[in-house]
């Protein structure tokens, strides 16, 4: 199992015992301290970006932690790394889309959208999407672009009029992306034309996660951590929306789908399992009843075989047997 800490350490952990197998301190290479995006794997490598500044995209050898290659960046890369074939793609904090050769670490092509908005900040969840030889990029300028994934040649662009602040996700109904003006757009992936829009009182944040016949996301209100929402993929409406329990928040970085539930962590240290069909809570489970959660919260989830993993803001990793109540 692989994980990154905002103390600037990337490490491999035995998922059965929790024993560290190897670690790498990125603070020796520059100013970066954080890992915010999902990593991507090959047979022998794990590839991940770091941020904020004087940072790198790293390719670590899975077994040893040896750095196979690293790509230096003036501004960090906080989005997910996405892959198609022998290429990996991600977006830097200064809104530059990179295409990287997985074998060598060479930057094959790059594209920066301009102008950047005068206000606001880069959304760490603004990850690109890649499908069938095309990479889709939602920029801070408000444009969505489609490029030939191999060459970087622009196929089309579409001006949405407001900064893109969610990941792009390509599903059967089209290409979905959320913008800062609190609108979710469904575009035709062939030419970028608008198929549907859905407006809200506040904008979504981070990853849009397809799950069965809904698309999951979090709102960015109440100091960043808003309601959990399940959208109809057609954007005809909202299937359900769920506020966090009274007195707490949903600080989880992205919706995590497990079986027929989406797991959401709370700011006071509980796991809540929400039925994907109707948004009803199926069960809850405390992460650690003995811990003081006043300055903490559940941040990320992971799964390996029969274990569920929960990472916290304070840097503690917990492992649970997944045989929770039905």
């Amino acid at each position: 199992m692989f994980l990154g800490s905002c103390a600037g350490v990337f490490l491999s952990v035995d998922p059965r015992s929790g024993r560290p197998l190897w670690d790498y301190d990125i603070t020796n290479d520059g100013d970066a301290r954080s890992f915010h995006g999902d990593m991507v794997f090959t047979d022998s490598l794990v590839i991940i970006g770091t941020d904020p500044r004087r940072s790198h995209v790293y390719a670590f050898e899975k077994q040893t932690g040896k750095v196979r290659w690293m790509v230096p960046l003036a501004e960090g890369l906080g989005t997910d790394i996405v892959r198609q074939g022998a290429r990996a793609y991600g977006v830097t904090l200064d809104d530059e889309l990179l295409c990287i050769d997985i074998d060598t670490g060479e930057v094959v092509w790059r594209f920066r959208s301009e102008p950047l908005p005068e206000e606001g900040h880069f959304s760490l969840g603004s990850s690109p999407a890649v499908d069938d030889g095309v990479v889709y990029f939602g920029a801070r300028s408000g444009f969505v672009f489609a490029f030939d994934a191999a060459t970087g040649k622009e196929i089309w662009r579409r001006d949405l009029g407001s900064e893109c602040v969610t990941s792009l996700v390509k599903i059967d109904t089209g290409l979905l992306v959320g913008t800062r003006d609190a609108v979710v757009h469904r575009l035709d992936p062939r030419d970028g034309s608008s198929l549907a829009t859905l407006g809200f009182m506040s904008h979504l944040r981070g990853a849009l996660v397809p799950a069965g016949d809904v698309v999951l996301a979090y709102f960015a209100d109440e100091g960043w951590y808003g309601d959990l929402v399940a959208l109809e993929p057609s954007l005809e409406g909202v299937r359900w929306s769920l506020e966090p329990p009274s007195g707490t928040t949903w600080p989880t970085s992205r919706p995590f789908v497990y079986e027929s539930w989406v797991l959401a962590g709370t700011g006071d240290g509980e796991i809540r399992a929400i039925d994907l069909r109707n948004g009803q809570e199926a069960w809850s489970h405390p992460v650690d009843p003995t811990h003081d959660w006043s300055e903490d919260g559940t941040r990320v989830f992971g799964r390996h075989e029969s274990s569920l993993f929960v990472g916290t803001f304070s840097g503690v990793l917990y492992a649970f047997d997944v045989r929770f109540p039905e």
Side-chain angles (χ1 to χ4, degrees), residues 245 250 264-272 281 284-287 293 298 301:
W250 300 128
T266 69
D268 56 3
E270 283 200 324
I271 305 166
R272 302 282 177 133
E281 183 177 308
S284 64
H285 191 83
V287 175
W293 292 94
T298 50
F301 291 101

Side-chain angles (χ1 to χ4, degrees), residues 2-242:
F2 303 92
L3 60 152
S5 158
C6 284
V9 177
F10 190 77
L11 64 161
S12 171
V13 174
D14 186 320
R16 297 167 184 82
S17 67
R19 179 175 62 90
L21 302 175
W22 56 258
D23 62 73
Y24 185 90
D25 187 347
I26 65 171
T27 65
N28 294 323
D29 301 328
D31 296 334
R33 295 292 185 276
S34 300
F35 305 84
H36 283 109
D38 269 5
M39 61 201 81
V40 72
F41 300 96
T42 71
D43 289 342
S44 61
L45 300 176
V46 52
I47 301 169
I48 191 165
T50 63
D51 65 89
R53 295 175 181 84
R54 289 186 62 229
S55 59
H56 299 82
V57 177
Y58 289 89
F60 297 103
E61 293 184 357
K62 288 180 178 178
Q63 295 301 317
T64 65
K66 178 182 177 181
V67 176
R68 178 77 59 85
W69 51 257
M70 57 183 181
V71 178
L73 302 170
E75 298 290 335
L77 193 150
T79 66
D80 294 348
I81 301 287
V82 297
R83 177 190 179 188
Q84 183 162 89
R87 305 283 172 83
Y89 305 85
V91 180
T92 69
L93 297 186
D94 55 353
D95 216 37
E96 185 174 36
L97 174 66
L98 301 179
C99 169
I100 301 171
D101 184 282
I102 286 176
D103 292 330
T104 66
E106 175 192 1
V107 177
V108 181
W109 59 265
R110 60 208 314 159
F111 174 82
R112 178 179 284 114
S113 173
E114 296 178 347
L116 299 181
E118 295 181 1
E119 299 181 356
H121 56 83
F122 183 80
S123 174
L124 293 170
S126 299
S127 303
V130 61
D131 181 71
D132 196 26
V134 180
V135 57
Y136 303 95
F137 168 40
R140 290 188 63 193
S141 62
F143 280 86
V144 174
F145 298 88
F147 298 100
D148 182 287
T151 66
K153 181 180 178 181
E154 185 177 314
I155 300 171
W156 55 257
R157 65 174 63 190
R158 168 78 177 182
D159 186 2
L160 301 183
S162 181
E163 179 181 356
C164 299
V165 293
T166 71
S167 65
L168 282 89
V169 60
K170 185 175 180 293
I171 56 178
D172 291 343
T173 61
L175 185 69
L176 301 188
V177 63
T179 48
R180 193 172 291 279
D181 59 355
V183 177
V184 183
H185 301 260
R186 180 165 66 94
L187 307 178
D188 189 324
R190 297 171 297 182
D191 58 12
S193 58
S194 178
L195 299 175
T197 59
L198 184 61
F200 297 97
M201 295 296 293
S202 61
H203 66 80
L204 301 179
R205 65 174 172 90
L208 303 181
V209 178
D213 61 348
V214 295
V215 176
L216 302 168
Y218 284 105
F219 281 109
D221 53 13
E222 299 180 6
W224 187 247
Y225 306 116
D227 297 355
L228 175 64
V229 62
L231 306 176
E232 299 287 353
S234 63
L235 297 189
E236 293 177 355
V238 172
R239 178 77 58 87
W240 53 261
S241 181
L242 186 66

Side-chain angles (χ1 to χ4, degrees), residues 257-263 273-278 282-283 326:
V257 178
Y258 174 74
E259 303 296 344
S260 60
W261 310 304
V262 52
L263 302 187
I274 314 303
D275 192 314
L276 285 170
R277 298 168 299 179
N278 54 30
W283 52 264
E326 295 293 336

